[in-house]
Amino acid sequence: MDESREGQDRKPPRQAKPPRKVSPTYLENAALHYLKRYAATQSQLKRVLMRRVTKSLKFHGGDKAQALGWLDELVAKLVRNGLLNDEAYARMKAHSLRASGRSTRVIAQKLRMKGVSADVVTQKLADATAEVSDEDAARIWARKKRLGPFRKVASTREENRQRDLASLARAGYPFSIAKKIIDSDPE
């Protein structure tokens, strides 16, 4: 490339847009936009909106207590209108994670990280486990990760047995289930 044109082809770096000033309408629009794209829990939505509030207050100034009041009112309104439902979120997430082969321990951890209460986590985990047992979920995970009986080359199965057991243990399965899956037949 010609050295004289090297600097001319580049665009100047984009300037970051300043954050909008926080208002109840702005928070509601931001929350609805977020909920259109993602399923969320109450605490998760509060964290997302709180980041916006913090940026806005840092740039424009204002009363943090007032903004927090708006945020709490908005979340209560969304819960009342059925747009934000922690139980429905936990049910959907637990069933989808279980169907993809995740262990009970991993599902519980992920739901707690999203801010779902402990009693809801316990209830939804019981529902998901009733449909797909721990052993079935471990088999799904082993098939997905090609562990044990699901390895492409059967001759490497015994060589990688310890590694496969460790992999299932890291995925949150007890040793007894991991051993049963790794030592079983693919069928």
Side-chain angles (χ1 to χ4, degrees), residues 60-173:
H60 297 287
D63 186 17
K64 187 173 185 171
Q66 183 183 32
L68 289 174
W70 292 337
L71 190 58
D72 290 337
E73 287 173 23
L74 174 64
V75 169
K77 179 182 174 183
L78 292 172
V79 169
R80 254 191 334 270
N81 292 334
L83 295 173
L84 206 54
N85 185 339
D86 283 1
E87 281 197 34
Y89 175 85
R91 182 182 339 104
M92 179 264 314
K93 198 70 170 169
H95 285 281
S96 73
L97 288 171
R98 193 59 166 189
S100 72
R102 297 294 164 79
S103 68
T104 306
R105 195 177 312 164
V106 169
I107 296 169
Q109 180 185 19
K110 285 182 181 278
L111 289 175
R112 276 190 242 110
M113 285 174 49
K114 296 293 183 180
V116 177
S117 66
D119 56 328
V120 173
V121 168
T122 305
Q123 178 188 1
K124 299 308 171 190
L125 267 176
D127 294 347
T129 304
E131 289 181 19
V132 179
S133 70
D134 271 345
E135 192 174 319
D136 292 339
R139 190 175 311 303
I140 292 168
W141 188 255
R143 184 178 300 121
K144 186 187 264 186
K145 298 297 180 180
R146 296 190 174 151
L147 303 175
F150 304 104
R151 286 193 170 276
K152 284 185 178 180
V153 182
S155 63
T156 63
R157 186 173 168 186
E158 195 56 42
E159 295 170 14
N160 294 307
R161 184 174 184 275
Q162 293 295 64
R163 184 179 298 152
D164 293 348
L165 286 170
S167 179
L168 281 173
R170 283 191 303 273
Y173 292 103

Side-chain angles (χ1 to χ4, degrees), residues 46-65:
K46 279 184 178 180
R47 273 194 305 264
V48 167
L49 294 177
M50 200 56 217
R51 282 195 302 263
R52 288 178 180 240
V53 166
T54 303
K55 283 181 184 178
S56 176
L57 292 178
K58 194 174 185 180
F59 189 82
H60 297 287
D63 186 17
K64 187 173 185 171

